[in-house]
Amino acid sequence: MRTLSHPAASATASLPASPPVEQPAAPHHTDPTLGAALFAAWSGDPALVVASPPGAGKTRLVVQLAEQLHRRAGLRIAIAAQTRTQALDVASRVAAIGASVALLGARESPRPPTLEPAAGYLEGAAHLSRWRGIVVATTARWLWVKEREYTADVCLVDEAWQMTYADLGGLGPLSAQVVLVGDPGQIAPVVTGDARRWRDWTAGPQRAAPEALLAAYPDAVTRLRLPHTWRLGPQTAALIQPAFYSDLPFDSVRPPRHVQLDGTALPELSVLEVQTLAGPGDPVLATTAAARVRELTADGFVVDDHDNHRPIRPNDVGVITPHVEQASAIAARLADLPGVLIGTANQAQGLEREAVVIVHPLAGYREAPAFAVDPGRLCVALSRHRAHATIVVDADTDTVVRHALAEAPHDGALAIQRQVLVALRTGP
């Protein structure tokens, strides 16, 4: 039997084939950690902890996981953020990649004006039953959602080291699976109640959720890590990795970038030493920090890896202090530069700027109180910059730390303070 071909088909067959159009690689094909996290969540692992250094793409991982688990696996995804600002940012970023997402707000509350237009907004938990996409809310809001109102297949927790183990337990009815993504070097969760009875319990309810979960169920939790920082340069990574992340090796893959001031390239980290006489509130700290900001905004340039120069604007600069009073004093001196971010280390968590001016947590002290020695506070302050950080240091701080270490030679927090202070003063 003979088969007759259509003339058009014959003509088409004689033409040379068009080369296939190259499609961009899917994120999980180029990011091994995302691929491994997607596999673990899709496989049904009950708990997954992803530890990340600063600037490694924690929120990007959460956003991509949510989009792929919802679109490709058809799972109901809840995302828990730790602040309203974080929740707004996550919802907007999920919407920006084309996913179906809504931000859960309070009943009869207005839609935030800065929320991505493509994102939905739910005015209270009563609207959850009719939503079929990803839902983002703060942990505090999720704790008020009843199980009969909404449950998810997977709960993704962003900035998980800012959440207590008690709050993680409160999220239990929300989902049988949980993915915790965060930075173990950050400031411990703020606990207002008396937690002394659990002080020595590694799985205490006051501890950071991932830390306590791993202590309670070491063999049942899948662990992953993000191995690179895209924000911090090599000098900063070499300083903070051994000091604050001894169990989390990472390196810098940030393209070359620096701040140029008066024609001179500044190092990633530089120190301004002052002499204080009136404690942490000494005006010299606020005056020195404010003066440095003015130098950067008046004559500074950001120079990228292509040698492109861009003037530093006020919203490129941040100031981080240990105390609210110090932040207020600096803000008063910079009232004519409203774009400068000025706040405490707690407020600066999750934020970044091209250049940052830091008031050292121990500046002004003649002893070493636990608040000022807390490694998380120093780690956050030293990891918010993309190109440069200036640290305002008290000339007497080294002596204070050495004397405190002599009295408590096994104090790990004091040892970290000493290690970092020596490294800052000796330079790269």
Side-chain angles (χ1 to χ4, degrees):
M1 186 175 79
R2 186 175 58 165
T3 302
L4 299 177
S5 60
H6 192 280
S10 300
T12 303
S14 65
L15 295 175
S18 300
V21 178
E22 185 175 346
Q23 298 294 328
H28 61 283
H29 290 165
T30 57
D31 185 339
T33 304
L34 174 59
L38 184 62
F39 177 80
W42 206 335
S43 300
D45 291 15
L48 168 64
V49 170
V50 184
S52 167
K58 298 183 294 295
T59 303
R60 174 185 175 276
L61 178 69
V62 169
V63 167
Q64 293 290 343
L65 269 179
E67 190 274 336
Q68 297 210 34
L69 290 173
H70 175 67
R71 176 176 57 83
R72 301 177 67 207
L75 299 178
R76 300 181 75 178
I77 306 298
I79 301 178
Q82 307 318 306
T83 66
R84 283 178 288 183
T85 300
Q86 291 170 2
L88 180 61
D89 175 61
V90 171
S92 294
R93 290 174 65 170
V94 174
I97 63 171
S100 174
V101 63
L103 177 66
L104 175 61
R107 185 173 58 184
E108 299 181 358
S109 59
R111 178 189 175 94
T114 57
L115 180 63
E116 177 75 21
Y121 184 70
L122 305 178
E123 298 179 11
H127 297 273
L128 282 169
S129 60
R130 296 191 294 273
W131 182 257
R132 293 294 176 263
I134 301 163
V135 183
V136 182
T138 62
T139 296
R141 189 159 303 286
W142 279 126
L143 292 174
W144 284 94
V145 175
K146 298 178 176 60
E147 188 175 357
R148 65 174 181 270
E149 293 175 325
Y150 180 82
T151 56
D153 297 305
V154 183
C155 176
L156 308 177
V157 181
D158 192 24
E159 300 291 0
W161 262 266
Q162 297 179 23
M163 182 173 71
T164 64
Y165 193 36
D167 282 343
L168 178 61
L171 292 180
L174 177 62
S175 173
Q177 269 186 279
V178 63
V179 178
L180 306 178
V181 183
D183 180 349
Q186 291 190 324
I187 301 169
V190 177
V191 177
T192 56
D194 186 355
R196 285 176 296 179
R197 72 181 73 179
W198 303 295
R199 180 178 54 194
D200 300 322
W201 187 20
T202 56
Q206 84 285 9
R207 295 191 180 274
E211 171 190 323
L213 183 66
L214 289 168
Y217 306 99
D219 299 324
V221 180
T222 304
R223 309 183 196 194
L224 296 173
R225 67 180 180 89
L226 295 174
H228 310 295
T229 174
W230 298 86
R231 177 197 306 156
L232 306 177
Q235 182 189 350
T236 306
L239 171 69
I240 72 170
Q241 190 280 319
F244 304 106
Y245 299 92
S246 57
D247 297 328
L248 180 60
F250 68 89
D251 59 8
S252 169
V253 292
R254 188 208 68 181
R257 192 177 191 86
H258 68 269
V259 166
Q260 183 174 296
L261 186 62
D262 294 329
T264 301
L266 298 181
E268 287 177 41
L269 301 166
S270 63
V271 172
L272 289 179
E273 193 171 275
V274 298
Q275 183 70 59
T276 64
L277 300 173
D282 194 311
V284 71
L285 295 171
T287 300
T288 303
R292 185 59 160 176
V293 171
R294 292 195 181 280
E295 288 178 352
L296 292 168
T297 53
D299 303 307
F301 291 85
V302 176
V303 184
D304 64 17
D305 56 331
H306 299 295
D307 203 34
N308 296 317
H309 290 56
R310 177 177 65 77
I312 292 180
R313 302 181 298 264
N315 60 6
D316 289 322
V317 182
V319 182
I320 300 176
T321 69
H323 298 288
V324 173
E325 294 81 2
Q326 293 169 329
S328 299
I330 295 170
R333 288 165 169 79
L334 297 174
D336 58 319
L337 296 175
V340 177
L341 169 71
I342 304 172
T344 64
N346 296 68
Q347 295 166 334
Q349 290 189 119
L351 302 177
E352 62 181 74
R353 290 294 186 272
E354 291 289 354
V356 175
V357 179
I358 302 162
V359 176
H360 192 281
L362 280 162
Y365 284 100
R366 294 299 175 261
E367 56 184 9
F371 174 88
V373 173
D374 174 26
R377 191 159 280 103
L378 183 59
C379 180
V380 168
L382 290 173
S383 58
R384 301 303 99 195
H385 60 281
R386 290 191 289 264
H388 172 76
T390 294
I391 303 94
V392 180
V393 175
D394 188 338
D396 292 320
T397 295
D398 184 60
T399 302
V400 170
V401 173
R402 283 192 289 106
H403 287 171
L405 267 174
E407 296 178 2
H410 302 296
D411 190 312
L414 284 170
I416 290 173
Q417 291 285 345
R418 172 71 174 155
Q419 176 184 347
V420 171
L421 198 58
V422 169
L424 287 173
R425 285 184 161 181
T426 56

